[in-house]
Amino acid sequence: MSAETTPAIDRVQIFDTTLRDGEQSPGATMNAEEKLMMARQLEKLGVDVIEAGFAASSEGDFEAVSKVAATVKRPIVLSLARTREADVMRAIKAVEKAERPGIHIFIATSDIHLKHKLMMSREEVLDAAVWAVSLAKKHLDYVEFSAEDASRSEPDYLVKIFSAVIAAGARTINVPDTTGYAIPNAYADLFRHLIANTEGGDRVIWSTHCHNDLGLAVANSLAAVAAGVRQIECTVNGIGERAGNTSMEEVVMAIRTRRDVFANVDTGIVTEQIYPTSRLLSQITGIPIPINKPIVGDNAFAHEAGIHQDGVLKYKETYEIMKPETVGLQSNRIVLGKHSGRHAFVDRLKEIGVEPGQIDMNKAFERFKALADRKKNIYDEDLMSLAAEGATRIPERYELLYLNVTSSSMAVPHATVKIRVDGEERLDHATGDGMVDACYKAIKKIAGAELQLERYGVNAITGGTDAQGGVSCLVRENGVAVTGQGAHTDIIMASALAFVNALNKLEHRKRYQQQLRNVGP
Ligand code: KIV
Ligand code: ZN
């Protein structure tokens, strides 16, 4: 085909909101270091926009947005903001070091939100939106405007407010299905109406942002693209409020796999980075990936039925519509072992996307050697877990030194734990309902803290009986919740490490809050 006859391919921007809307999912809280590690990976994945947080919502979020803004180079980095002066100015301050800064301003537009939440009239909402966009525009060029609950808003009111914010300088117009209420055909029709009738609609990027309450977030996003939308807001693994957001990996692979349907569009995603990104997020947040999750679940490319296996062996495409390598899946490949040296270790980490500057390589290599003594084969998943642990390591007040747990069908489980606290060794014992319970009670006695364990989960990081167990626990103290992570070939040990990690994170938060109080407003 000659250059003249090649159809033009439009870029569909991928706007990743894992660090903002995704983080709003219960238990997905990430600290600034964790967000930074994710942001670096998102840049490698090739996303166009990173929504790094909601700067005005907390000091922690402000710090995280600032760090991401100062670090990533290619994607636009933005912060969410309400139509309030303090929000807008805080968001602008947070992204000031970004190579490509932006702001995302939102206000609700449905009558139900106006009447019961905002207590504002349509005119007042329109004025607030235009005022906030104009204010932001004085400081930076890239302004996105979102009409929260757009899918339940009156279409002609949306036309009015969008025309007004475009005149004030908005570059991207987002039409969120905030409550996951939309149905693909109707949502696509809404976009057609908006694009055709909004003044200046041809000058902006139209954007979709869907929630998955009816399991339709990906379908709605794809319908929006077919109707002319050129930005998809989504999250890795589809994490987010309630049932989550549009899943990045699903929507990207649908566009790529069905080129016959989406002939004139493409994303800039480096699909081979999908799997590592998905696993990294799961390691950091402790939110497991369901085994049947499309694209990244353990069973996504597994063929169980004999007839399927037979077909795949004869010709892969009988049952496979995508190649596992395309999404970066090279699972359970033995990569290293006890005799592997530092060189091989560093090289393999680089191959899976972890650069030496991102983690303390000496410590990571020590942990690798300790793991290789307990476990014969080390897989990429093990290395990813080591790297995530290293990168999110924070100053440690508590260090687990010793653990002894006994249990039998005839005896009450009993744990003895020794922990170094601020350099001083402390030992305590406890009994419990099970071994993990006994161990956690002993740790709580040593820490002397009022801690509630709100969630506990364990999963095998790889296959095999010597696989590492990855434990994640959500721990709350005085209203502050953190997720602790631990990995070990012994799951009681992994549980203790996860709990101690949570204690260190809580301590880190307390110290950070204290520093802010000392510095003053
Ligand atoms: O779901 C939603 O409406 C949002 C907006 C803030 C864009 O997340
Ligand atoms: Zn949302």
Side-chain angles (χ1 to χ4, degrees), residues 20-21 80 104 106 146 148-149 174 176-178 209 211 233:
R20 199 278 298 170
D21 220 349
L80 186 68
H104 177 191
F106 80 102
S146 278
E148 191 190 12
D149 205 17
N174 185 36
D177 180 27
T178 306
H209 175 116
H211 283 264
E233 302 198 355

Side-chain angles (χ1 to χ4, degrees), residues 81 146 154 325 417 430 473 480 482:
S146 278
E154 216 254 299
E325 311 85 81
V417 177
C473 59
V480 179
V482 294

Side-chain angles (χ1 to χ4, degrees), residues 17-26 28 30 235 239-241 245:
T17 183
T18 308
L19 305 181
R20 199 278 298 170
D21 220 349
E23 205 217 7
Q24 283 173 222
S25 71
M30 290 172 247
T235 61
I239 67 165
E241 285 270 357
N245 287 59

Side-chain angles (χ1 to χ4, degrees), residues 48-111:
D48 301 280
V49 185
I50 296 179
E51 184 166 47
F54 184 176
S57 71
S58 70
E59 290 307 324
D61 242 31
F62 177 82
E63 187 203 3
V65 178
S66 312
K67 281 194 167 161
V68 172
T71 307
V72 303
K73 299 287 171 246
R74 199 194 40 78
I76 293 172
V77 177
L78 43 74
S79 164
L80 186 68
R82 289 166 293 190
T83 55
R84 302 177 185 178
E85 185 172 4
D87 270 39
V88 172
M89 296 317 292
R90 198 81 180 129
I92 289 170
K93 177 103 190 107
V95 297
E96 69 183 5
K97 297 228 165 68
E99 204 91 359
R100 302 178 67 201
I103 184 169
H104 177 191
I105 296 174
F106 80 102
I107 190 164
T109 49
S110 65
D111 287 340

